[in-house]
Structure formats: C-alpha cells, structure tokens
C-alpha cells in the first residue's frame, strides 16, 4: 500500500475544512449538527458537521488529529473501505466526548 494513497481522503477533508472556515462566513450555522434541523430535513448536517470549526486553533488541532489518525490507519494496514470506516469511527468517538 502506498502512503500517498492513504492521505488522499484526509487531504480532501483538510482542504474542504480550510475553505469552509475561511470562505463561508456563517459555516458554523450552515454545517453544524442540530438534531432538530436534521429531523426537519437538513440531512446534509450528518456529513458536514466535521467541517465546522470555532476558531483557527480548533481548525489546526483537527487537522493535526486527522493526520495522526490517518498515519495510524496506514500503520495498521487499513485501505479502501476499511480505512473509511476507521476514519468515520474516529470522528464519531471524537464527537461523543
């Protein structure tokens, strides 16, 4: 498995996170998860909440965590669907804290 291929998805997530943080002024309001809004039909919130950041420090911390988690996935030999499941499960665990 090539280390470059394992960082394609995290790189895209980082790019979207940076762009949404700096280019969309009310990204927290648009993308953050709200159970009531999700139930009322704003289903994109289940996938977009991980792109919301309160400030630039929060953005940098999440980028570092994503890179570390990605590197661990590479070390465990995860690839393809298993790697995506691993990344998503890490996100769910992080959000539940």
């Amino acid at each position: 498995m090539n280390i470059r291929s394992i960082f394609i998805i995290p790189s895209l997530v980082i790019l979207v996170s940076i762009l949404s943080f700096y280019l969309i002024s009310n990204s927290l309001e648009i993308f953050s998860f709200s159970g009531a809004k999700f139930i009322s039909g704003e289903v994109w919130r289940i996938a977009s909440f991980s792109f919301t950041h309160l400030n630039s420090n929060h953005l940098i911390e999440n980028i570092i965590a994503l890179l570390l988690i990605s590197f661990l996935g590479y070390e465990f030999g995860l690839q393809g669907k298993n790697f995506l499941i691993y990344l998503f499960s890490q996100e769910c665990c992080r959000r539940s804290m």
Side-chain angles (χ1 to χ4, degrees):
M1 176 174 38
N2 187 347
I3 192 163
R4 288 185 199 150
S5 64
I6 203 79
F7 284 102
I8 290 173
I9 293 171
S11 298
L12 292 174
V13 170
I14 290 169
L15 179 65
V16 170
S17 295
I18 291 171
L19 290 175
S20 69
F21 181 75
Y22 287 108
L23 297 180
I24 303 173
S25 61
N26 58 345
S27 65
L28 193 61
E29 181 181 324
I30 295 170
F31 298 122
S32 65
F33 184 77
S34 166
K37 290 182 179 182
F38 176 74
I39 290 172
S40 70
E42 296 181 9
V43 294
W44 68 84
R45 291 181 182 272
I46 197 74
S48 66
F49 71 91
S50 62
F51 299 117
T52 59
H53 300 91
L54 300 174
N55 55 41
S56 58
N57 288 338
H58 184 218
L59 176 64
I60 292 168
E61 290 168 356
N62 282 358
I63 289 171
I64 292 169
L66 179 61
L67 291 173
L68 289 173
I69 288 169
S70 300
F71 183 72
L72 286 174
Y74 173 74
E75 288 295 314
F76 292 147
L78 300 176
Q79 55 186 340
K81 187 171 104 174
N82 291 333
F83 181 70
L84 289 176
I85 291 169
Y86 170 75
L87 276 180
F88 183 72
S89 66
Q90 297 301 315
E91 181 67 26
C92 290
C93 291
R94 188 174 61 84
R95 291 291 178 171
S96 66
M97 293 183 178

